[in-house]
């Protein structure tokens, strides 16, 4: 995609998101699972090309997932059991805890395993 096409595509997407996203999905917001999955798919599709954890974690859909609070923790753990992902920021933000040891930071497998163990010990899994 050329630069001009990229800009047009991005502006169109912003327009659709701004005017239609809430309208299209507002009925689903009453179901936490539907809301979570909708936001997760939006977040994943719009951040899949990013390498910055900060940019990935600051995406509006990811922030809305965090805003769902403790009710979303089991859903995040369910996702983590299926595949690794950048859920650590959300879990730390929601729970106020970080069970990952400093020497395991950056190791996705160990970080995931640590959080899953934490979730099991607290009854989220």
């Amino acid at each position: 995609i050329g630069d001009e096409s990229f800009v047009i595509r991005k502006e169109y997407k912003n327009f659709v998101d701004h005017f239609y996203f809430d309208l299209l999905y507002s009925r689903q917001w009453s179901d936490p699972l539907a809301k979570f999955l909708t936001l997760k798919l939006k977040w994943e599709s719009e951040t899949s090309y990013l390498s910055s954890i900060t940019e990935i974690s600051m995406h509006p859909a990811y922030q809305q997932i965090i805003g769902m609070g403790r009710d979303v923790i089991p859903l995040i753990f369910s996702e983590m059991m299926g595949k690794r992902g950048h859920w650590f920021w959300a879990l730390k933000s929601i729970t106020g805890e970080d069970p990952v040891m400093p020497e395991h930071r950056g190791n996705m497998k160990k970080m995931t395993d640590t959080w899953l163990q934490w979730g099991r010990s607290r009854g989220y899994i």
Side-chain angles (χ1 to χ4, degrees), residues 4-110:
E4 291 173 352
S5 296
F6 180 77
V7 169
I8 291 169
R9 181 174 172 234
K10 182 178 178 185
E11 289 302 316
Y12 173 76
K13 190 185 141 336
N14 287 340
F15 170 80
V16 169
D17 285 352
H18 181 73
F19 290 102
Y20 294 108
F21 184 75
D22 288 339
L23 177 65
L24 291 173
Y25 297 108
S26 63
R27 292 184 194 137
Q28 295 178 353
W29 276 182
S30 62
D31 177 13
L33 177 59
K35 181 177 182 178
F36 172 76
L37 292 175
T38 301
L39 290 168
K40 179 189 83 75
L41 290 173
K42 181 175 176 58
W43 169 63
E44 288 176 338
S45 70
E46 294 179 9
T47 61
S48 62
Y49 59 91
L50 297 175
S51 59
S52 166
I53 299 301
T54 302
E55 285 184 63
I56 291 169
S57 299
M58 292 309 294
H59 187 276
Y62 189 86
Q63 292 299 308
Q64 285 183 311
I65 290 171
I66 292 171
M68 292 175 71
R70 291 193 173 273
D71 293 341
V72 81
I73 293 172
L75 302 175
I76 292 174
F77 284 135
S78 179
E79 284 295 312
M80 290 176 75
M81 288 189 293
K83 67 177 183 177
R84 291 186 200 129
H86 296 288
W87 291 110
F88 313 117
W89 187 315
L91 288 169
K92 185 176 177 181
S93 296
I94 295 167
T95 66
E97 297 187 41
D98 188 0
V100 177
M101 296 187 302
E103 61 268 21
H104 292 163
R105 298 201 191 289
N107 183 325
M108 292 285 284
K109 179 169 178 13
K110 287 186 179 184

